[in-house]
Amino acid sequence: MSIIVTGADGYVGWPTALRIAKRTDQRVLGVDNLARREWVASVGARSATPVASIEERLAAAEEQGLSNLSFVEGDLTDRPFVDRLLAVHEPAAVIHTAAQPSAPYSQINGEHANETQHNNMQATRNLVWGLHEAGLSDTHFVETTTTGVYGAPEFPIPEGGATMENDGERDEVPFPAMAGSWYHLTKAHDAANLRLANTQFDLPISDVRTAIVYGAGTDETRADDRLGTRLDFDYYFGVVAHRFAAQAVAGYPLTVYGKGEQRKPFVSLEDAVEGLARLALCDPDDRPAAHTVYNQTTRAISIVEIAETIADVGAEYDLDVAVEHVENPREEDETHEMEIEREKYDDLIGGGSVDFETGMDEVLEAMTEQADVITAHEDRFLPDVLEDRED
């Protein structure tokens, strides 16, 4: 038996594969088509930190004693490839992190929207149908979807379904898809397909709705420079916290629209990886249910808190970071306090281990060491100069 990690060349997938391999004697197989490297390059961007080739990564992992980790390059939208993969390796678990993960990239034009939806949804369908038709109905299928499927409702977001009431009758239903981009909608569709796969195929499902992930690495990636994960900071693939950090390193003020008190859910890379590793290796009897939704977040953070935290931490790196409030060009509630339940995820990981300040300290340390890279690509993250097109 083995454990398959898809998207194993990615920001979350690579350190997840390393951690699982470190904790088990089972074979851990990483699968990726290496498209993330191409997507980032296509928008004129790059990782702040160097990203070694997959061959260099595997050699470094071997030197760390992870001889059970291997890799195969392949496209999960190719059904014959998926069928061969599952038939040969017969996985006990599939940790599915592979996706085109950028909402802005999916919004560039119709071609990018089509690419995103085909890539993400076809891969998931191929995997769950492949498991079913291969007779692997006991394989635990774990996918990182996103908290973005929830939108920004004015009530606390449940960890799973919702209660609907109509004409005096009540019932539990899946949370309605309120995604705000062509990317986020792929994960809403995936969540529905995963529920159906559990119902029709009896496939055990963990739908891990991942929040905005911050951080520069984990213990495993810090063991050797070649094991480092990527750290994107551009408009398309860098999360807001990493873009703000890049602005600070490049010497620009951090611009907050309006009050900036609206909150978004966040999770550290360390805590995201820990949750996925535990799900990969957990005893089936310890799962809450055959179909479980986890809200993979440890806290909600306001935009202004992000900026002020980076300014405070930046001072430790001799960065003079100003936080500027400007009139908000968007029609949005600047004080929306997102509340999101996370009891099941907290139980899974035993509570968060890397707070936002510590995570941003790691990010700023990594980015200040690569300041030349940041400044050379400032047109990829500064909001006033970015052009929403590929150069």
Side-chain angles (χ1 to χ4, degrees):
M1 299 292 284
S2 63
I3 296 171
I4 290 177
V5 179
T6 73
D9 191 52
Y11 172 60
V12 173
W14 173 244
T16 297
L18 290 174
R19 180 155 302 177
I20 295 171
K22 185 177 179 180
R23 292 187 180 174
T24 183
D25 293 329
Q26 295 184 67
R27 289 180 296 118
V28 178
L29 179 69
V31 181
D32 207 299
N33 63 358
L34 308 181
R36 173 67 173 265
R37 299 177 187 234
E38 297 175 6
W39 290 326
V40 173
S42 76
V43 296
R46 57 161 291 181
S47 169
T49 51
V51 182
S53 70
I54 194 64
E55 293 79 12
E56 292 172 316
R57 283 178 154 184
L58 291 172
E62 178 87 26
E63 292 172 17
Q64 294 295 319
L66 304 181
S67 58
N68 59 331
L69 177 64
S70 57
F71 179 85
V72 61
E73 183 177 348
D75 188 345
L76 295 172
T77 67
D78 178 0
R79 179 61 193 272
F81 167 75
V82 172
D83 288 345
R84 290 193 301 271
L85 178 76
L86 298 176
V88 170
H89 297 283
E90 297 183 332
V94 174
I95 310 303
H96 183 36
T97 73
Q100 189 297 98
S102 166
Y105 182 91
S106 76
Q107 300 285 118
I108 290 174
N109 55 29
E111 179 183 353
H112 287 78
N114 285 340
E115 177 189 12
T116 300
Q117 296 218 335
H118 171 72
N119 180 83
N120 294 3
M121 293 189 290
Q122 182 76 1
T124 302
R125 287 194 302 267
N126 282 348
L127 285 164
V128 296
W129 270 101
L131 290 168
H132 171 61
E133 294 180 348
L136 297 170
S137 59
D138 291 331
T139 297
H140 185 195
F141 190 83
V142 181
E143 179 175 353
T144 51
T145 57
T146 173
T147 54
V149 302
Y150 294 125
E154 295 295 334
F155 53 82
I157 296 170
E159 195 170 22
T163 302
M164 177 175 285
E165 184 172 331
N166 187 42
D167 285 342
E169 301 294 331
R170 297 160 59 92
D171 201 357
E172 295 294 318
V173 298
F175 195 93
M178 300 171 69
S181 78
W182 297 97
Y183 156 70
H184 286 103
L185 202 56
T186 69
K187 293 302 185 177
H189 283 299
D190 273 3
N193 284 340
L194 294 181
R195 181 179 293 275
L196 188 61
N198 171 254
T199 301
Q200 289 193 350
F201 306 155
D202 231 9
L203 196 66
I205 297 290
S206 289
D207 177 354
V208 183
R209 300 190 176 176
T210 308
I212 301 167
V213 185
Y214 62 87
T218 64
D219 288 344
E220 293 82 4
T221 65
R222 286 187 283 268
D224 186 303
D225 287 344
R226 294 168 293 172
L227 295 176
T229 195
R230 59 183 312 111
L231 183 59
D232 293 306
F233 59 93
D234 63 284
Y235 169 76
Y236 295 101
F237 291 93
V239 299
V240 60
H242 295 173
R243 295 198 306 271
F244 270 9
Q247 286 180 233
V249 170
Y252 290 92
L254 309 186
T255 302
V256 175
Y257 290 150
K259 296 179 180 178
E261 294 175 359
Q262 60 272 43
R263 302 198 303 173
K264 305 289 185 183
F266 282 79
V267 65
S268 71
L269 180 60
E270 168 63 35
D271 291 328
V273 166
E274 181 63 18
L276 295 174
R278 292 192 182 194
L279 286 171
L281 299 170
C282 70
D283 188 299
D285 293 335
D286 292 335
R287 299 173 199 155
H291 176 270
T292 304
V293 173
Y294 296 91
N295 287 337
Q296 192 182 43
T297 180
T298 49
R299 64 170 295 211
I301 307 174
S302 70
I303 302 300
V304 69
E305 182 182 352
I306 295 170
E308 291 175 348
T309 299
I310 290 171
D312 290 343
V313 175
E316 300 174 14
Y317 293 92
D318 296 323
L319 300 175
D320 185 11
V321 185
V323 178
E324 296 182 353
H325 290 257
V326 299
E327 184 177 353
N328 194 343
R330 307 167 182 157
E331 291 186 9
E332 61 180 347
D333 182 357
E334 297 173 4
T335 61
H336 180 255
E337 295 189 5
M338 175 175 281
E339 295 182 48
I340 183 165
E341 296 175 4
R342 58 179 190 272
E343 182 178 348
K344 283 181 284 188
Y345 193 69
D346 277 347
D347 288 344
L348 176 67
I349 64 171
S353 64
V354 178
D355 62 27
F356 186 67
E357 183 176 353
T358 301
M360 294 318 299
D361 181 71
E362 296 172 353
V363 169
L364 284 170
E365 180 181 13
M367 287 190 177
T368 53
E369 291 175 357
Q370 300 291 331
D372 290 346
V373 173
I374 302 297
T375 55
H377 293 82
E378 63 182 34
D379 65 327
R380 297 296 86 192
F381 61 83
L382 292 177
D384 292 339
V385 299
L386 178 75
E387 294 181 8
D388 290 353
R389 60 180 176 83
E390 294 178 301
D391 291 339

